[in-house]
């Protein structure tokens, strides 16, 4: 059995997919970009500011699913420029002090709607 998670005030998908799916004690959060939820526009700023916006969007989706950032067990970070790896690590690392989740980071030739960073996550309930 699976349940669609669609936060009322969360980031809106840009395609035919769910922001998150809850199934068998896990929450699978679709990739989040640096979208300002109130306007739907991309955040303009540094890569660190964009990572913070992405993490905020992940948090909104997880909370709508009854979970939280500290219950994330796996993330994937997609970057259009691995030259930003160190800056992204510094911003991302602020969210996981004790036991950081497993993670994969890859460079993508391009990301939807022209964003520079996207992060998806798997969390437990």
């Amino acid at each position: 059995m699976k349940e669609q998670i669609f936060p009322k005030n969360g980031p809106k998908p840009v395609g035919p997919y769910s922001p998150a799916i809850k199934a068998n004690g896990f929450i699978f959060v679709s990739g989040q970009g640096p979208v300002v939820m109130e306007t739907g526009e991309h955040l303009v700023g540094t890569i660190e500011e964009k990572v913070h916006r992405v993490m905020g969007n992940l948090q909104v989706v997880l909370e709508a699913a009854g979970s939280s950032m500290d219950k994330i067990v796996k993330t994937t970070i997609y970057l259009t420029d691995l030259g930003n790896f160190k800056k992204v690590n510094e911003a991302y690392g602020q969210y996981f002090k004790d036991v950081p989740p497993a993670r994969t980071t890859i460079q993508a030739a391009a990301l939807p709607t022209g964003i520079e960073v996207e992060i998806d996550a798997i969390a437990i309930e």
Side-chain angles (χ1 to χ4, degrees):
M1 184 110 162
K2 65 181 181 178
E3 175 187 349
Q4 180 185 45
I5 306 301
F6 208 110
K8 291 179 185 174
N9 298 322
K12 305 296 183 246
V14 297
Y17 58 87
S18 300
I21 293 290
K22 187 188 291 191
N24 296 325
F26 288 95
I27 296 122
F28 301 88
V29 182
S30 294
Q32 299 296 309
V35 176
V36 179
M37 290 179 277
E38 297 79 15
T39 65
E41 301 292 321
H42 296 163
L43 177 74
V44 176
T46 66
I47 192 69
E48 296 93 339
E49 291 168 329
K50 292 175 183 180
V51 169
H52 288 299
R53 176 72 276 151
V54 169
M55 298 304 281
N57 291 349
L58 282 171
Q59 182 174 354
V60 166
V61 176
L62 286 168
E63 287 176 356
S67 190
S68 63
M69 297 291 280
D70 64 332
K71 293 183 177 181
I72 294 175
V73 295
K74 170 74 169 79
T75 61
T76 304
I77 301 176
Y78 305 88
L79 298 171
T80 56
D81 181 1
L82 273 178
N84 287 323
F85 185 77
K86 182 178 179 184
K87 292 177 182 179
V88 168
N89 268 342
E90 290 170 4
Y92 173 92
Q94 293 175 27
Y95 294 87
F96 305 108
K97 297 297 182 194
D98 295 328
V99 179
R103 185 182 98 185
T104 302
T105 304
I106 64 167
Q107 180 170 312
L111 292 169
T113 66
I115 60 176
E116 297 175 78
V117 58
E118 181 175 22
I119 303 174
D120 65 28
I122 301 170
I124 54 176
E125 289 186 63

